[in-house]
Amino acid sequence: MKTRIAFIVIVIMVLAGKLQAQTKQQINNLATFAKVWGFLKYYHPQVAKGNPNWDEEWVKSTLTIKKIETNEEFKRFIINWYSSIPKVKLSNTITQLNSDSVYRVFNEKDIKRYNIPAGMKQELMNLYLYHQPDSSKYISNLSGPYKLDYVWHNEEAFANPAYPDEAHRLLALVRYWNIINYFYPHKKEFAPNWNKVLTDFIPQFMADKDAAEYRQTFMKLTAQIKDSHSFFVQKEWDAAHKQNPPFLVYYIDGKYIIGNSQYEQLMKKHDLRAGDEILAINGRSIDDCVKYLTPLTTGSNAACLHRNIGESLFRIDTGNTANLSTRRNGMVINQQISLYSYGDLYQHRSKNHPPLWVNMGNGVWYVRFCKITDNKSLVKMYNDIKDAKSMIWEMRDYPYFPTVQAFLPGLIARRVANEVNYDGELFYPGMFKAKVDQIPLAPDTLKLPLYKGKLIVLVNEFTQSLAESVAAELSNRPNTIVVGRQTAGATGNMLFTDFPGGIEDSYTAVKVVGLNNSFKQGQGVKLDKKISLSIKRMQSSPDYELQQAYLEAVK
């Protein structure tokens, strides 16, 4: 009897080992196929034109690859599959560009690492080096007659169902993985171990049992790139989860704190104050909330990661109210607060907005630049402040682009190029070319009076993208200092792409490096003076950061 039991145990162990090996083989086969599939999508002229339908090729091949048990069998499959694709005419000379202005996130070394037969690997190498650019169904850099500084993606959405079948869930993974692999200019620094991400996530996407698990896995995938421009969108999910408290959440001294607010009346209604420590939401401790959100959240630096976690704390649940527990001066306060949609908060701001610029005394003016949305106000502001001793330029928000195009002649007498942009090359995916650039301006028809006084640019982790570009350009102005906290660390144009299940997601598509070290991805805008916050300091003032900027302005 004992002998029989021992035999059964051995058989089970052998079968389990074989199953595990097959599973690992299956994952490696799918990962290799995903890399070759993505390379041909962008470098094979016929495939790029949609001949054959490349999404259908993925779905059909996935079903076959899952049945393959050995590496040799897989190699036979991929050779036969590649042979079925239309032949390619190559250039007689190498077409890949080489110059000091070129920056690459993909090259022939990546092809050499493919686990495919040597002959096929050489053919792909030739296709890369002797590539003849042609049109593409999947990528473009044109918007009407205008050439963009980034490459956008034209993908079939497969918006329904919200829970796609396994092959289309894997399609979402490999579509995203290849887009980042070829078109994310910060892949080397902010998408570490990208090959491992593919093998790590294949089994996760295969195992998802419903729409909620699939959505969460996709969010975990996008959190693998450290990019403050990575935004997840799904209409149904957003409608249920995009409720907001009437305040910003700050991360101070390892704690999540109620921060500044544009909604004084709503704050008073709920007796909420800047500096209150958030302890629990809907009965879930702040530690549990953060533990849940961290794998789903990303940012170009730690400050922005915590900013994004703080923004999501009240979106874990779907209600229009939240049971909030806070600590103030050692006392715990439990209460129910209202949550608001973006539209609700916008309406409240429209009815209760403070002055766009205000005289703070001692010759110091404070300008809420990001709230100025018309040229008439811009002209009046410059005329009002033209004789100011100092001006505080509020950049802890996101500016209105037409205003950005118009405002600089009032602050800078002579513009100089202030950044190097690395733009994606449409027909050589993986390659970016450098060009010296600056914020584009509208024609100077406003005749703004030039302000020559001291300028204090106030920034923090809520300063992102265009706001960072504005702050970085102003930092090169004479008699100007940048004060505050580390910014979000992501500027340059971004774009959204469609994925199965009605999902859209985004990333930074242009690499920007500020001249004179004024901006760097991840680090953000260079600070001339850092403002350190504590709970006690936040409680001491309605806006401690602004208070410190004022003290700098009156020096």
Side-chain angles (χ1 to χ4, degrees), residues 124-139:
L124 298 190
M125 189 76 71
N126 292 339
L127 184 54
Y128 175 78
L129 294 172
Y130 298 90
H131 173 59
Q132 293 201 93
D134 204 336
S135 61
S136 175
K137 171 184 176 180
Y138 302 105
I139 54 177

Side-chain angles (χ1 to χ4, degrees), residues 448-502:
L448 299 174
L450 180 64
Y451 171 74
K452 298 179 181 180
K454 186 177 183 180
L455 183 67
I456 312 295
V457 182
L458 181 57
V459 300
N460 67 6
E461 61 269 35
F462 294 91
T463 306
Q464 177 165 322
S465 196
L466 180 59
E468 291 184 283
S469 291
V470 170
E473 177 147 5
L474 290 177
S475 71
N476 293 314
R477 174 189 179 272
N479 203 15
T480 298
I481 64 170
V482 179
V483 305
R485 286 153 52 87
Q486 184 179 35
T487 63
T491 195
N493 277 320
M494 52 160 284
L495 72 152
F496 281 89
T497 305
D498 291 312
F499 299 92

